Amino acid sequence: MTLFTKSPCQIIDQEINPYVDQWEAEGIFPAHKVFKILGNAGFLGVNKPVEYGGLGLDFSYSIAMSEELGNIRCGGIPMAIGVQTDMATPALARFGSAELKKEFLLPSIMGDKVACLGVSEVGAGSDVATIKTKAVRDGDEYVVNGGKMWTTNGTQADWMCLLANTSDGLSHKNKSLICLPMNSPGVRIARKIDKMGMRSSDTAEVFFDDVRVPCKNVIGREGMGFTYQMLQFQEERLWAVGNILTMMENVIRETIQYTRQRTIFKMPVLHHQSVYFRLAELETEVELLRSLLHRATALYIRGNDVTKLASMAKLKAGRLAREVGDSCLQYWGGMGYTNDVLVSRFYRDARLCSIGGGADEVMLSIISKYMDTVPKAPPK
């Protein structure tokens, strides 16, 4: 077990936040350097097995870590870290062979390798079942062809947790998760995508042209990839909620500080009832969301299916983040429209929460199915 040398707060204050503006301007941050610092401190595998460098704690500690990372003064870097810890590696840690864990999980936890997740494609985002990338068996190898879109960490990653079709069966039973080294012949980074927000996080479009991967690189059982990915999504969505909660708190707090000293009509902006009432409403909503997150996490740790609650939390987080960003930016006036303040960056970055990891409409569809309110097709 790793002994902490620095707290997350110290790492954020000393190793990350002083460089955020630079990395935002450059459109990328040094993932290997930052991840190695976090890995050395033990923060890339808090709920991963001790034998592979993790701390062996339960998932609530991962949520606590996600909340702490919300103190980074941008959304891109926490998102990239979350991909490493709670999006690309949960299935590997839970279902992967000892050999795969040693080759991919251990160095990811230690910060020696950067991971990315290959699920979304140009024509298949939230509708995971419709992906087209194929991995066809050829002896003891798969030959992978296709492409992935919106790949966080994609230009810097050492390996990808790839979801691909490994047979022609039913769309929910023909997919497998595969550990694919990104330096394999035939892997091509087509471009680094220019995004509205999350500027410091590199996002790539990746193509695979006859990429050969050993069949032993399959995580768990062949054909179970869709199920494994749905399980990964639950952790990803809860992690994202925890992370954006802290960001919303910080934006509200800084808005209070600014409006307290900024005057209009001979009184502080904050002293106008419409302003402090609205901030009180937003703070209340943030705390309610935190309660939902912690309830879902507690149930998840005890082995319950929290798909419905995780979807609710993700839906609410995306919508509330848009409310917080829009309302708080308004109170900053002209300053809120500049790139000099946190609220404008949050306004851009947080918009992704209602799109990435399952769009709001997909969350509503999942919730409706669990409520048994979706109209059923009439019998033929």
Side-chain angles (χ1 to χ4, degrees):
M1 182 179 292
T2 303
L3 294 175
F4 294 153
T5 54
K6 287 184 177 180
S7 70
C9 183
Q10 287 175 313
I11 292 175
I12 291 169
D13 289 343
Q14 297 170 14
E15 308 286 354
I16 299 178
N17 276 344
Y19 309 101
V20 163
D21 289 345
Q22 174 190 339
W23 296 336
E24 283 279 301
E26 293 172 350
I28 194 169
F29 79 104
H32 284 89
K33 177 182 177 181
V34 172
F35 285 8
K36 187 58 183 173
I37 293 169
L38 291 165
N40 285 342
F43 297 131
L44 293 181
V46 293
N47 66 324
K48 298 300 190 295
V50 173
E51 57 267 36
Y52 298 103
L55 300 182
L57 303 171
D58 65 48
F59 184 65
S60 67
Y61 289 87
S62 185
I63 293 299
M65 188 66 193
S66 77
E67 292 186 53
E68 189 65 35
L69 291 172
N71 288 308
I72 296 174
R73 295 185 68 81
C74 69
I77 297 170
M79 178 177 69
I81 297 168
V83 167
Q84 182 91 350
T85 60
D86 290 85
M87 301 177 202
T89 53
L92 174 59
R94 188 171 177 180
F95 303 108
S97 66
E99 184 180 356
L100 275 186
K101 291 176 185 177
K102 184 177 179 181
E103 184 177 356
F104 296 101
L105 183 63
L106 174 61
S108 298
I109 290 172
M110 300 307 294
D112 294 320
K113 285 187 177 181
V114 173
C116 65
L117 179 64
V119 174
S120 293
E121 299 179 0
V122 172
S126 295
D127 188 5
V128 175
T130 62
I131 65 165
K132 303 299 183 185
T133 297
K134 287 189 174 183
V136 179
R137 257 186 195 272
D138 182 21
D140 60 356
E141 293 180 317
Y142 288 112
V143 180
V144 181
N145 284 281
K148 294 297 175 179
M149 192 69 168
W150 317 119
T151 310
T152 301
N153 299 339
T155 71
Q156 303 185 74
D158 298 293
W159 70 279
M160 173 185 285
C161 179
L162 171 73
L163 185 68
N165 296 316
T166 48
S167 72
D168 295 324
L170 297 173
S171 61
H172 294 83
K173 297 182 179 181
N174 71 337
K175 294 169 175 55
S176 301
L177 284 175
I178 303 169
C179 295
L180 185 146
M182 291 293 281
N183 62 356
S184 302
V187 176
R188 179 166 58 91
I189 308 299
R191 61 184 173 123
K192 182 165 79 74
I193 299 169
D194 185 15
K195 309 184 301 297
M196 178 180 85
M198 303 293 194
R199 303 288 298 176
S200 54
S201 170
D202 60 298
T203 307
E205 182 176 12
V206 185
F207 288 114
F208 311 104
D209 301 310
D210 291 332
V211 179
R212 289 188 168 269
V213 186
C215 291
K216 64 182 177 62
N217 281 25
V218 168
I219 296 173
R221 288 163 44 200
E222 184 179 285
M224 288 293 291
F226 183 87
T227 299
Y228 295 160
Q229 186 53 46
M230 292 304 103
L231 292 172
Q232 283 196 142
F233 273 148
Q234 303 321 308
E235 294 195 10
E236 171 182 343
R237 288 163 184 166
L238 292 172
W239 194 98
V241 174
N243 187 242
I244 207 165
L245 272 173
T246 304
M247 294 181 184
M248 288 191 284
E249 281 185 314
N250 289 338
V251 167
I252 293 170
R253 186 185 67 251
E254 293 191 16
T255 300
I256 291 171
Q257 293 170 351
Y258 180 75
T259 54
R260 178 173 280 127
Q261 56 87 24
R262 176 75 168 89
T263 59
I264 186 171
F265 304 129
K266 299 181 180 181
M267 63 187 294
V269 172
L270 182 62
H271 290 180
H272 292 265
Q273 188 184 71
S274 62
V275 176
Y276 63 76
F277 269 18
R278 179 57 174 153
L279 293 172
E281 288 177 335
L282 294 173
E283 184 79 3
T284 301
E285 293 289 320
V286 168
E287 288 304 320
L288 287 169
L289 178 58
R290 189 191 311 280
S291 296
L292 174 57
L293 170 65
H294 290 177
R295 177 179 176 228
T297 301
L299 289 170
Y300 182 70
I301 291 167
R302 294 200 292 270
N304 294 284
D305 176 12
V306 297
T307 303
K308 178 183 175 183
L309 293 179
S311 301
M312 288 176 166
K314 167 73 164 53
L315 172 68
K316 183 61 178 179
R319 293 185 169 182
L320 181 57
R322 286 147 70 183
E323 287 190 55
V324 169
D326 188 60
S327 293
C328 289
L329 189 146
Q330 184 71 20
Y331 300 146
W332 284 75
M335 280 302 298
Y337 201 65
T338 71
N339 287 325
D340 298 334
V341 291
L342 177 66
V343 66
S344 64
R345 183 177 291 163
F346 176 81
Y347 183 87
R348 290 182 285 110
D349 288 352
R351 189 61 182 84
L352 181 62
C353 193
S354 284
I355 301 171
D360 281 2
E361 292 75 17
V362 174
M363 298 302 100
L364 288 167
S365 176
I366 293 170
I367 296 164
S368 297
K369 287 176 182 177
Y370 273 80
M371 294 173 65
D372 195 25
T373 57
V374 178
K376 294 178 174 63
K380 294 182 180 179

